[in-house]
Amino acid sequence: MAGSESTPSAGARRRPREQFSGQTAFILAAVGSAIGLGNIWRFPGVAYENGGGAFMVPYLIALLTAGIPILFLDYAVGHRFRGAPPQAFRRISRGLESLGWFQIGICIVIALYYTAVIAWAVSYFFFSFNFAWGDDPTGFFVGEYLQVGEPGFSLDFVPGVLIPLVAVWVVTIVILGAGVAKGIERANVVFIPLLVVTFTVLVVRALFLDGAADGLNALFTPDWSALTDANVWIAAYGQIFFSLSIAFGIMITYSSFRPRRSNMTGPGLVVAFANSSFEILAGIGVFATLGFLAFNEGVAIDQLENLTGVGLSFMTFPAVISEMPGGQLFGALFFGTLVLAGLTSLLSILQVVSSGFQEKFGWSPRASAVGIGSVSAVISIVLLGSTTGLIYLDTTDNWANNIGIVGSAVLMTVLLMWVLRRGKELQYHLNTVSTFQLGSWWRFCVGILAPVLLTYMLASRIVTLISEGYEGYPTWYLVTVGWGSVAFMVVLAVVMPMVRRHESVDGFVPWPEYPPKPQPTSAVKEARR
Amino acid sequence: MTSTAVIFLIVTIVVVWGGLIASIVALRRRPEAEDLPEGGHDDDGVAPVVDSRES
């Protein structure tokens, strides 16, 4: 029965669509999703390496011309067509369901390793109290803690990672299983204010460290020559793009949990600016701290290593924490904020997967969360709880972001705007329900500018990965794990649309109607009252 | 800190945090659009769960 669907029987019981309890809850959840590990450990280093203060110019342009427009595109799709990506896209066009499953595939791949980073941060939260990493944080992280082996697959489990990893999965499944309003929303309403307050305390503390001013000089002194370097612009668009959680289904799914008569673009602007505001705050905090490290070691900032990602958090920061007066508290706060920022993003990623399966098979939120969560947890524990976890993470992270998400964004913008030509309808939808009005500039950004830039990014990355490999890992490993992750997304995109849906999408009517009917004149409206 | 770095720090904060404050203020003044077309009350053929906090 490939591609067939059952029609809903008359009087069949249907669950009402889950909803956030209000606009503020939606904003907090969306902010929780957008603010993730990338804001804390990616932005500061990227800004520093790409022109410092001058980076803010391409960064802001990228926010306004790609970040916010694609965020709105996600909102329009999810809010108008009411579903996680497979259902929302299928309601736009039957063939588009594949793209939805491709996005679900991205979320699955990311969730598997994202959990591990949160688990490490949980461990390091506790390690902060006695500086468990000793005098050699890098050696401790790679050797003693992760016990990293050669690239490959190993069943040599590392208990120190396994236990927090299981704990993170249990917490995640419990929150997801409680549903959108009682699970995700409540978690974000508590965690996001806590994250912002804690992180602000951390940043203020960092500003009073010796050498903090040198760190901020390094971050904010502009290098204008960077503006003529195409790679700097690509870095800015990449940062905005990965940081906002766009184009892989999260914002589509979250916006589908808003009632149809809800403002979308107004809250969207708050979400986008909140995400960037947190990034700036993180930049200040991280570079003030790095300034202290350089000061203490008597070197210049540009001689420091590991300024982004896993290296920054688990190698460089522990070194700073050990040298700092009151480092225990600083360390606990830093790793605590990583856990909060990561967990709220992880929840949103898994909600996409859970909702996708709920809508396809008619599962309840609890059944879907437990089912999807348990299977993912087992795979995640096998792949990341062993001695090869770090290498696996490093590889899939690169492919999921640079090939998966960028590819998904190219497909989404080109198919919606050019092949199916739904740009005007989506713009009309957002403008009708929202307070902030979009002009034709939005269609230009989403239909022309973004696809051109993203296609360039995708193509150049594919060429680099094929010609140069990645991080010196063996080719067989990159093919299996890196390209294999993308192959998994493609298989899901091909197979899942052929599986029978529990219910047809044929009866779905988008609202508001497009093209709009001529509105009754105000005189008629008056008469009706 | 050098004066150039201070200027860039301040400009960045004003633009980005200012954008956040401006978007929050705009949303508080006008949380929802008025004059929506009729309909859109039902979701997927069922009455949605309406929360009392939301008008």
Side-chain angles (χ1 to χ4, degrees):
Chain A
M1 288 284 283
S4 68
E5 298 169 338
S6 61
T7 41
S9 56
R13 268 185 63 227
R14 301 173 73 192
R15 268 186 302 275
R17 183 157 195 84
E18 289 191 272
Q19 289 187 359
F20 289 113
S21 68
Q23 195 179 66
T24 311
F26 167 69
I27 291 174
L28 284 173
V31 167
S33 171
I35 296 181
L37 302 170
N39 296 62
I40 299 175
W41 77 20
R42 196 169 184 278
F43 171 80
V46 169
Y48 169 69
E49 284 162 9
N50 290 283
F55 180 75
M56 300 308 158
V57 176
Y59 175 80
L60 288 172
I61 291 175
L63 174 67
L64 298 177
T65 58
I68 292 175
I70 297 179
L71 178 70
F72 286 166
L73 181 66
D74 273 351
Y75 279 0
V77 169
H79 191 241
R80 183 166 180 79
F81 296 96
R82 326 258 343 119
Q87 174 165 300
F89 283 130
R90 185 172 184 127
R91 284 172 170 175
I92 295 175
S93 167
R94 196 180 179 89
L96 216 55
E97 185 178 343
S98 283
L99 176 59
W101 288 105
F102 185 80
Q103 297 190 341
I104 298 259
I106 298 174
C107 290
I108 295 174
V109 169
I110 294 180
L112 295 182
Y113 69 77
Y114 215 82
T115 335
V117 183
I118 302 169
W120 300 347
V122 170
S123 294
Y124 270 67
F125 173 82
F126 292 106
F127 292 166
S128 301
F129 292 101
N130 62 351
F131 300 153
W133 46 77
D135 298 330
D136 178 18
T138 305
F140 174 84
F141 178 66
V142 179
E144 259 178 82
Y145 178 60
L146 292 181
Q147 302 175 18
V148 175
E150 291 295 309
F153 298 97
S154 144
L155 286 176
D156 255 343
F157 289 103
V158 185
V161 178
L162 204 57
I163 295 164
L165 189 54
V166 172
V168 171
W169 274 107
V170 169
V171 169
T172 307
I173 292 171
V174 168
I175 297 176
L176 271 185
V180 171
K182 289 186 176 154
I184 295 232
E185 177 181 318
R186 278 191 190 167
N188 279 290
V189 166
V190 176
F191 290 163
I192 291 306
L194 185 64
L195 170 66
V196 172
V197 170
T198 315
F199 204 80
T200 308
V201 170
L202 202 70
V203 173
V204 171
R205 169 72 188 101
L207 287 175
F208 288 98
L209 292 167
D210 291 328
D214 299 330
L216 295 180
N217 275 338
L219 179 61
F220 283 101
T221 303
D223 168 14
W224 292 113
S225 66
L227 294 185
T228 53
D229 181 351
N231 288 323
V232 169
W233 287 83
I234 295 293
Y237 276 88
Q239 175 60 31
I240 282 291
F241 192 73
F242 297 134
S243 156
L244 264 177
S245 295
I246 46 180
F248 63 112
I250 294 177
M251 292 301 169
I252 292 179
T253 308
Y254 271 15
S255 59
S256 77
F257 298 136
R258 289 293 288 143
R260 285 178 155 175
R261 299 172 74 89
S262 312
N263 187 1
M264 296 310 294
T265 56
L269 289 177
V270 176
V271 172
F273 278 104
N275 178 63
S276 287
S277 297
F278 191 88
E279 254 174 11
I280 303 293
L281 189 68
I284 295 171
V286 166
F287 269 82
T289 313
L290 292 175
F292 169 75
L293 181 67
F295 173 85
N296 246 23
E297 296 189 350
V299 296
I301 305 251
D302 58 12
Q303 287 170 288
L304 296 176
E305 287 178 345
N306 288 325
L307 299 185
T308 57
V310 172
L312 174 79
S313 304
F314 297 102
M315 300 174 190
T316 309
F317 257 69
V320 192
I321 290 163
S322 293
E323 293 175 16
M324 192 184 289
Q328 284 91 343
L329 181 63
F330 190 91
L333 291 180
F334 176 74
F335 290 109
T337 54
L338 274 189
V339 172
L340 291 177
L343 192 61
T344 48
S345 300
L346 175 71
L347 287 169
S348 70
I349 293 168
L350 280 167
Q351 182 64 47
V352 179
V353 184
S354 176
S355 291
F357 280 86
Q358 282 175 46
E359 290 163 1
K360 182 85 179 178
F361 299 113
W363 296 349
S364 71
R366 182 168 301 173
S368 193
V370 173
I372 301 291
S374 311
V375 173
S376 311
V378 170
I379 300 171
S380 163
I381 288 163
V382 168
L383 288 171
L384 288 134
S386 66
T387 52
T388 49
L390 178 63
I391 300 165
Y392 175 85
L393 180 148
D394 190 20
T395 310
T396 41
D397 177 55
N398 188 46
W399 263 262
N401 280 294
N402 292 305
I403 310 293
I405 299 182
V406 179
S408 158
V410 170
L411 286 171
M412 189 168 85
T413 49
V414 169
L415 291 172
L416 288 176
M417 306 302 282
W418 290 99
V419 178
L420 298 165
R421 307 197 74 81
R422 303 299 276 264
K424 285 190 174 165
E425 177 186 347
L426 296 170
Q427 181 188 358
Y428 171 78
H429 177 91
L430 289 175
N431 281 345
T432 306
V433 298
S434 304
T435 50
F436 177 74
Q437 299 292 299
L438 309 179
S440 49
W441 60 268
W442 178 72
R443 294 201 314 276
F444 170 79
C445 290
V446 172
I448 296 172
L449 189 69
V452 167
L453 280 166
L454 293 166
T455 305
Y456 175 78
M457 274 169 74
L458 182 65
S460 64
R461 198 55 73 113
I462 291 176
V463 169
T464 315
L465 287 174
I466 291 177
S467 61
E468 294 170 21
Y470 182 67
E471 297 281 332
Y473 298 144
T475 308
W476 73 266
Y477 186 78
L478 298 184
V479 170
T480 317
V481 172
W483 295 108
S485 299
V486 178
F488 164 74
M489 299 164 197
V490 172
V491 168
L492 214 59
V494 171
V495 172
M496 286 306 288
M498 291 195 267
V499 177
R500 186 189 167 94
R501 278 179 70 86
H502 83 106
E503 187 178 273
S504 168
V505 297
D506 293 343
F508 176 78
V509 183
W511 177 90
E513 195 179 339
Y514 184 84
K517 275 189 192 154
Q519 285 289 308
T521 62
S522 53
V524 177
K525 271 188 183 170
E526 281 302 314
R528 279 188 185 169
R529 283 177 197 152
Chain B
M1 281 180 76
T2 62
S3 51
T4 326
V6 171
I7 290 167
F8 270 84
L9 172 69
I10 291 172
V11 169
T12 306
I13 286 180
V14 167
V15 172
V16 178
W17 294 2
L20 175 62
I21 293 165
S23 57
I24 291 174
V25 169
L27 192 62
R28 286 187 72 101
R29 282 204 190 132
R30 207 176 149 212
E32 293 293 345
E34 311 84 25
D35 241 4
L36 292 173
E38 287 173 16
H41 292 288
D42 285 357
D43 213 341
D44 301 354
V46 252
V49 181
V50 178
D51 190 274
S52 55
R53 277 171 282 179
E54 194 148 39
S55 55

